[in-house]
Amino acid sequence: LKYMKTKSIYICSECGYKSPRWQGKCSNCGAWNSFIEETVQKNDKSIERSSFATQKIYKLKDITETQNFRIKTNIAEFDRVLGGGIIPGSLILVGGDPGIGKSTLMLQLCAILKDYSPLYVSGEESLEQIKFRSTRIANIDENLEFMAETNIEEISAAIKSSSAQIVIIDSIQSVYTDKVESTPGSIQQVRECSSLLMNIAKTQNKAIFVIGHVTKDGYIAGPKILEHLVDTVLQFEGDKTYNFRMLRALKNRFGSTNEIGIFEMTDTGLDEVKNPSEIFLSHRNTQDSGVAIVASIEGTRPILLEVQALVTGANYGTPQRTTNGFDIRRLQMILAVLEKRLGLLLRNNDVFINVAGGLYLNDPGVDLAIAAAIVSSYKDIPIDSSTVIIGEIGLTGEVRAISNINSRISESEKLGFSKIIMPQLNAKKINKTNKIELLGIDRISVALTAIF
């Protein structure tokens, strides 16, 4: 009988560093309070190592590429985020909040790519539950292969023996390996199972999608080494009170991380939103104060959105600063500039900001529109509904140049707007157009005078 020795080790959830004792700060990556205790069993006998076979070395000129290097999913928004399609032999991590639509998206992917014999492995639902959920997906193939299993050795054997070129694992936190004596979802289990799946993807040249849970803070659960290991990390996000969902690439070895895909959740699954600007502006207000239209850039795509502001008298000693879809620290900076440079006394007012449609804006080019909406609500003066406002605000009150100005103008023209208020540095570089009036400004005071 082999003598088994049990011990506890501490593993950093950020980088996977192992320590025999708990540490407040990881000595490897510097993260605080990241160590989690894991119980492991180890043989006294040394681990047998496989013999190293001589591998053939290739020259770059001898390596041939296949003509169809990427697998097109025919879901334009999905292909856009991946960089043009699925790369065979890649491991793709899909994360998102519970109920956001990750499994629905993967089932739709299987329905479209039926010619690639996709295999859907579920570790959280029974086969009956999967069949019930798949009935809402249009054009689902009755010959689609499913497997309800959580043992990674069984899963790997099924993947190798099947003809599937696309594999979905739902989810990585539910599978386990017998080689590690810890519960499914632990750091060691997630790391070992992911490493095995990566090896299968590379050696079998099969694309494997791994669904991952997220923490309450919105980060993908498990060690950070999981995100370092995979080829692509996709984040599926959106406000559950809205039907819109956004697919964003946080990491992509085979494409850009600046692209996003927008979907709408319906009774039959997820539908592509090919022109989000028209949808987000379909219910816009035209006569109310505190409303401004902005041309934001999400990835490389221009999206016209309605930003709303509400300024009211504070009922408590400390005024509220509340945002939905916008960085609250950025809002505090804009309010400070309005007070310092324009003399608007907003310190005794509650300020609420909302981005219509449930999107989150990271583009600094929306600063000027946010400021205009705040002043509009504060003065109770509506902004012309045919005007688009774009520009970044500096701390001295200057309006700074922004990127992708041509695509913002083209989107505004397409939707019938007649005027754009924009940074002067950008306006100087734009050829005059007869379709839309371009007004270049260099200071926030000049911009607000032109708007009101």
Side-chain angles (χ1 to χ4, degrees):
L1 294 176
K2 296 180 179 179
Y3 176 69
M4 303 294 291
K5 192 164 56 175
T6 303
K7 68 173 184 177
S8 293
I9 62 172
Y10 294 87
I11 303 176
C12 176
S13 60
E14 296 293 325
C15 66
Y17 175 74
K18 298 179 181 179
S19 172
R21 60 184 61 86
W22 185 85
Q23 298 180 16
K25 180 180 179 181
C26 178
S27 57
N28 184 52
C29 67
W32 288 91
N33 299 323
S34 60
F35 278 89
I36 299 175
E37 183 180 7
E38 295 282 354
T39 302
V40 296
Q41 292 182 346
K42 181 180 179 182
N43 289 336
D44 277 346
K45 186 178 178 180
S46 60
I47 300 174
E48 296 181 1
R49 298 183 180 273
S50 59
S51 59
F52 294 94
T54 304
Q55 298 293 326
K56 185 176 179 181
I57 299 175
Y58 294 89
K59 293 183 179 180
L60 182 61
K61 63 180 181 180
D62 298 329
I63 302 174
T64 58
E65 286 188 46
T66 58
Q67 290 183 347
N68 299 323
F69 186 57
R70 291 183 183 268
I71 299 174
K72 296 289 186 179
T73 67
N74 294 325
I75 305 176
E77 297 296 302
F78 193 74
D79 288 337
R80 172 199 291 268
V81 177
L82 288 177
I86 302 171
I87 299 289
S90 61
L91 183 62
I92 302 167
L93 176 62
V94 182
D97 293 329
I100 204 71
K102 303 184 297 296
S103 300
T104 301
L105 179 62
M106 292 295 102
L107 281 173
Q108 288 185 225
L109 185 68
C110 292
I112 294 173
L113 299 178
K114 58 184 179 180
D115 294 337
Y116 294 90
S117 305
L119 173 63
Y120 194 105
V121 181
S122 175
E124 299 184 344
E125 295 179 313
S126 65
L127 295 178
E128 290 78 10
Q129 290 173 324
I130 298 174
K131 182 176 177 60
F132 176 76
R133 190 156 51 83
S134 65
T135 55
R136 65 186 291 226
I137 306 299
N139 301 322
I140 192 77
D141 188 5
E142 293 184 354
N143 295 320
L144 181 62
E145 295 181 338
F146 290 92
M147 182 180 182
E149 182 60 62
T150 55
N151 185 282
I152 194 64
E153 282 78 19
E154 296 288 340
I155 295 172
S156 62
I159 295 174
K160 292 177 181 178
S161 61
S162 71
S163 59
Q165 295 176 264
I166 306 291
V167 180
I168 289 91
I169 308 294
D170 187 5
S171 66
I172 189 61
Q173 281 83 11
S174 66
V175 299
Y176 70 96
T177 174
D178 293 328
K179 297 179 181 179
V180 176
E181 296 292 335
S182 60
T183 59
S186 64
I187 294 176
Q188 286 183 303
Q189 287 284 5
V190 171
R191 183 180 59 221
E192 294 298 325
C193 293
S194 301
S195 299
L196 180 58
L197 290 172
M198 173 61 83
N199 181 264
I200 295 173
K202 301 304 180 187
T203 56
Q204 301 292 318
N205 199 36
K206 299 181 178 184
I208 300 179
F209 288 84
V210 175
I211 296 177
H213 296 164
V214 297
T215 64
K216 62 181 180 180
D217 297 323
Y219 300 106
I220 296 177
K224 282 293 181 182
I225 195 173
L226 172 61
E227 298 181 36
H228 298 319
L229 178 68
V230 301
D231 296 309
T232 304
V233 179
L234 303 180
Q235 183 81 4
F236 207 39
E237 55 193 41
D239 193 332
K240 291 183 181 179
T241 58
Y242 295 91
N243 292 329
F244 299 110
R245 304 286 187 267
M246 183 184 297
L247 186 66
R248 190 190 302 271
L250 304 182
K251 170 189 175 182
N252 193 354
R253 287 177 179 161
F254 309 112
S256 172
T257 57
N258 293 324
E259 295 293 350
I260 65 166
I262 300 178
F263 299 86
E264 183 179 7
M265 181 65 77
T266 65
D267 294 337
T268 58
L270 291 162
D271 291 342
E272 297 178 71
V273 178
K274 296 182 179 180
N275 194 341
S277 297
E278 289 184 350
I279 294 179
F280 293 142
L281 293 177
S282 59
H283 302 289
R284 62 175 170 155
N285 300 311
T286 57
Q287 302 297 328
D288 295 331
S289 62
V291 177
I293 305 299
V294 61
S296 176
I297 293 292
E298 291 295 325
T300 58
R301 164 190 288 173
I303 301 177
L304 266 68
L305 295 161
E306 180 184 283
V307 293
Q308 302 172 341
L310 179 62
V311 180
T312 61
N315 295 322
Y316 304 99
T318 303
Q320 297 184 65
R321 302 289 185 256
T322 305
T323 62
N324 181 26
F326 190 69
D327 186 6
I328 191 169
R329 292 171 296 183
R330 195 88 186 171
L331 171 62
Q332 291 170 345
M333 184 206 76
I334 294 173
L335 293 176
V337 172
L338 290 176
E339 283 209 17
K340 181 71 174 179
R341 306 302 173 187
L342 299 181
L344 295 178
L345 298 179
L346 298 170
R347 67 189 67 178
N348 297 323
N349 294 94
D350 294 333
V351 179
F352 304 91
I353 298 295
N354 178 58
V355 178
L359 294 186
Y360 189 93
L361 300 182
N362 293 312
D363 181 15
V366 306
D367 288 353
L368 188 58
I370 296 289
I374 292 172
V375 175
S376 172
S377 178
Y378 181 72
K379 298 289 188 180
D380 199 20
I381 302 174
I383 299 173
D384 182 10
S385 60
S386 63
T387 300
V388 177
I389 304 171
I390 51 179
E392 179 184 357
I393 297 176
L395 292 180
T396 61
E398 81 276 16
V399 178
R400 304 174 65 87
I402 55 177
S403 60
N404 301 96
I405 190 65
N406 289 319
S407 58
R408 298 178 200 248
I409 294 174
S410 298
E411 187 72 8
S412 302
E413 285 180 341
K414 185 169 63 176
L415 293 177
F417 288 90
S418 61
K419 184 178 181 180
I420 298 181
I421 295 177
M422 59 191 299
Q424 191 173 45
L425 290 176
N426 290 121
K428 290 180 179 179
K429 300 178 181 179
I430 302 298
N431 295 327
K432 296 296 182 180
T433 174
N434 296 325
K435 294 183 179 180
I436 193 167
E437 179 187 355
L438 304 179
L439 178 59
I441 45 90
D442 58 352
R443 305 287 300 179
I444 186 174
S445 57
V446 177
L448 294 178
T449 300
I451 293 170
F452 299 105

